[in-house]
Amino acid sequence: MENIKAKNADNDIRKEPNKPSSNTNERKGIVSGCEHLCVRKTPKTNGEIVAIIAKDNKVKITGESGEWYAVTTELDSHFVNAISGYCMKKYISVG
């Protein structure tokens, strides 16, 4: 599935994002409410974009910080070579 694109291959975007301020049990979510969702390095609207995920793609929710989820993208069924960052909660359906 080629619906996830790294913004800058020169950056180390696979490292864990900044620790979220509150923790959740790991859950799965699906991108909804927009055609393309930015994955950001920090939980801020002006944070660096590290990837863009197309609608209906899955993410693993690893935590949350305010209006943001800390997520890992699902590049394959085992989250190998996944990209981690933050996405706004309103664009992810949890289920």
Side-chain angles (χ1 to χ4, degrees):
M1 189 179 313
E2 288 295 321
N3 291 325
I4 300 171
K5 299 176 184 168
K7 172 87 170 165
N8 185 345
D10 295 331
N11 291 338
D12 181 11
I13 55 179
R14 294 184 192 164
K15 66 182 181 180
E16 291 295 317
N18 297 335
K19 294 287 183 186
S21 61
S22 61
N23 196 8
T24 62
N25 294 328
E26 285 189 357
R27 301 179 282 171
K28 297 247 181 144
I30 297 177
V31 176
S32 62
C34 63
E35 290 300 312
H36 296 93
L37 179 60
C38 295
V39 180
R40 297 185 181 272
K41 193 171 189 175
T42 58
K44 299 177 182 177
T45 55
N46 63 349
E48 179 184 345
I49 298 170
V50 295
I52 298 172
I53 307 172
K55 184 177 180 178
D56 298 326
N57 274 265
K58 296 177 185 175
V59 294
K60 184 188 321 181
I61 299 169
T62 59
E64 53 186 291
S65 179
E67 296 178 6
W68 298 80
Y69 283 129
V71 301
T72 301
T73 62
E74 184 178 73
L75 294 177
D76 59 36
S77 61
H78 301 289
F79 290 91
V80 176
N81 297 318
I83 298 169
S84 295
Y86 291 88
C87 295
M88 293 191 80
K89 290 179 180 179
K90 66 182 179 180
Y91 299 116
I92 297 176
S93 297
V94 179

